[in-house]
């Protein structure tokens, strides 16, 4: 927003609040008005749309402590001041009016002198730091419009949405609704930047961005391993020993059948190609990790059969190699 607009517009009046309004009261008032005049609630009403923009403009300034401080300082100079180019022919109202008001006189033809530091302090305070004529911030004729401020937000999505991708709807603190496309394969803690969805510019520049941090809920069965999905699959002792064909769940789809080879140990990974996370960078696999399930209760008959098997199994200690390697 050009500083001349700050002279002309009474943001406190626009929002209907007092000059000593607290940040909490300011937000509460703005939210109430924003809901009343939001375009979604007043389809085709151009007056409501204009009022909503006016409210947003006022709130963006007063809600920012630094901008509010500068705005109050500019308004204190008096609404009659104007910024005119030297030699413009206007009667007063030029830079002398501004500086005269701030330094208590001097004016055109006066004897007051100012150092460069004085001008930088004045213009930095009025126009947003950076000094007069510098390309960062500063006087609008040199620095250009000020981009709107970025907004940070966070949301939690389920595991399936993070893996497959989907569109979700968020609501901002001002009551606006924003649709966000969640890309397939988004990771827990990843940030998504939505360009132009942040605070509007105070002076006609581009709006800021919305930086959304995504948290992903854990899945009761699956977990991410890069682009792969990992799942623990229990098999019985007999299935692992003699071999079997088992069903393994997939994320959001029908189970698939896998062959467990005879003598499969606990911890072996069985791979299902192409059933992992699919993104523009590639597609992962489903990794089924075999977990041999040991029965907690045996009937007398089953125990007798197992003891008979123990008598017949090879008499080898499966830990011998482990002990040898540990000593080495």
């Amino acid at each position: 927003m050009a500083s001349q607009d700050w002279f002309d517009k009474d943001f406190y009046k626009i929002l209907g609040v007092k000059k000593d309004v607290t940040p909490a009261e300011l937000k509460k008032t703005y939210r109430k008005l924003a809901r009343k005049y939001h375009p979604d609630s007043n389809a085709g009403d151009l007056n409501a749309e204009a009022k909503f923009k006016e409210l947003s403009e006022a709130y963006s300034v007063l809600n920012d402590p630094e901008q509010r401080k500068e705005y109050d300082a500019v308004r204190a100079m008096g609404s009659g001041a104007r910024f005119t180019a030297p030699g413009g022919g206007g009667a007063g109202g030029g830079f002398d009016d501004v500086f005269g008001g701030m330094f208590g006189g001097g004016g055109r033809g006066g004897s007051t002198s100012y150092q460069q530091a004085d001008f930088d302090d004045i213009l930095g305070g009025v126009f947003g730091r950076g000094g007069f004529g510098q390309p960062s911030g500063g006087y609008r004729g040199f620095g250009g419009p000020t981009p709107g401020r970025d907004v940070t937000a966070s949301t939690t999505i389920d595991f399936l949405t993070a893996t497959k991708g989907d569109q979700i709807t968020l609501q901002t603190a001002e009551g606006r609704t924003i649709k966000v496309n969640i890309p397939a394969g988004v990771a827990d803690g990843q940030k998504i930047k939505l360009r132009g969805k942040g605070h509007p510019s105070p002076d006609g520049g581009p709006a800021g961005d919305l930086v959304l941090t995504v948290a992903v809920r854990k899945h009761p069965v699956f977990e991410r391993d890069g682009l792969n999905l990992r799942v623990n699959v229990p098999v019985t002792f007999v299935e692992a020993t003699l071999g079997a064909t088992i069903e393994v769940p997939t994320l959001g789809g029908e189970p698939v059948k896998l062959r467990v080879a005879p003598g499969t140990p606990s911890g072996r990974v069985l791979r299902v190609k192409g059933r992992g996370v699919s993104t523009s960078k590639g597609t992962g696999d489903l990794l089924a990790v075999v977990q041999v399930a040991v029965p907690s209760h045996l009937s007398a008959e089953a125990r007798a059969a197992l003891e008979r098997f123990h008598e017949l199994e090879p008499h080898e200690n499966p830990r011998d190699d482990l002990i040898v390697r540990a000593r080495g």
Side-chain angles (χ1 to χ4, degrees):
M1 176 184 299
S3 291
Q4 183 58 59
D5 290 336
W6 284 12
F7 277 116
D8 294 339
K9 294 183 179 181
D10 188 340
F11 292 148
Y12 294 100
K13 184 176 180 181
I14 290 172
L15 290 167
V17 295
K18 297 180 180 180
K19 291 186 178 180
D20 60 353
V21 64
T22 65
E25 292 171 340
L26 179 68
K27 178 183 284 189
K28 181 178 179 181
T29 300
Y30 172 69
R31 284 184 174 179
K32 181 178 180 181
L33 292 171
R35 284 193 294 268
K36 179 179 179 181
Y37 292 101
H38 196 282
D40 290 347
S41 303
N42 300 273
D45 189 339
L46 297 180
N47 291 329
E49 182 178 351
K51 181 65 176 178
F52 180 77
K53 291 180 179 178
E54 188 179 39
L55 292 168
S56 298
E57 180 184 53
Y59 180 71
S60 68
V61 173
L62 298 185
N63 189 49
D64 185 309
E66 290 298 322
Q67 287 200 67
R68 181 173 176 177
K69 182 178 178 181
E70 292 176 14
Y71 172 74
D72 288 342
V74 169
R75 292 282 296 176
M77 295 177 191
S79 60
R82 291 291 187 273
F83 290 89
T84 57
F95 281 98
D96 291 338
D97 292 325
V98 178
F99 296 143
M102 294 185 69
F103 290 99
R108 195 176 281 112
S111 59
T112 305
S113 62
Y114 306 109
Q115 301 297 321
Q116 180 63 43
D118 295 328
F119 282 91
D120 286 343
D121 287 340
I122 297 165
L123 296 171
V126 175
F127 298 113
R129 291 295 124 204
F132 184 70
Q134 294 189 13
S136 59
Y139 181 45
R140 299 294 175 245
F142 290 79
T146 304
R149 290 184 295 112
D150 290 349
V151 175
T152 58
S154 61
T155 189
T156 301
I157 59 177
D158 59 65
F159 191 88
L160 182 61
T161 298
T163 305
K164 302 292 187 181
D166 200 354
Q167 186 181 78
I168 64 174
T169 301
L170 301 178
Q171 188 172 40
T172 68
E174 296 83 12
R176 290 186 298 134
T177 57
I178 298 177
K179 294 191 179 299
V180 182
N181 290 319
I182 301 296
V186 65
D188 184 61
Q190 185 172 330
K191 289 180 171 56
I192 300 175
K193 180 177 284 189
L194 304 174
R195 297 196 177 278
K197 298 299 184 181
H199 281 297
S201 167
D203 54 8
D209 300 330
L210 173 63
V211 182
L212 181 66
T213 301
V214 177
V216 181
R217 295 189 189 94
K218 291 186 177 298
H219 195 279
V221 171
F222 300 95
E223 64 178 41
R224 285 279 299 274
D225 182 3
L227 292 181
N228 297 324
L229 290 176
R230 188 177 291 270
V231 57
N232 292 325
V233 181
V235 299
T236 67
F237 171 75
V238 174
E239 288 173 331
T241 304
L242 302 181
T245 298
I246 63 173
E247 283 192 334
V248 176
T250 62
L251 183 64
E254 295 297 320
V256 294
K257 291 185 177 181
L258 282 181
R259 176 65 184 168
V260 178
T264 295
S266 189
R268 176 169 292 177
V269 177
L270 307 179
R271 186 181 297 267
V272 183
K273 285 285 188 181
R275 300 305 293 265
V277 182
S278 182
T279 71
S280 59
K281 297 180 180 179
T283 301
D285 302 328
L286 176 64
L287 306 179
V289 184
V290 172
Q291 301 288 338
V292 177
V294 179
S296 57
H297 301 285
L298 290 174
S299 65
E301 185 179 0
R303 177 178 290 276
L306 194 58
E307 289 173 347
R308 175 61 179 160
F309 166 76
H310 181 56
E311 294 174 359
L312 298 175
E313 70 175 336
H315 293 286
E316 300 173 350
N317 187 343
R319 294 170 293 281
D320 284 343
D321 182 61
L322 176 67
I323 294 172
V324 170
R325 287 187 289 114
R327 289 172 178 170

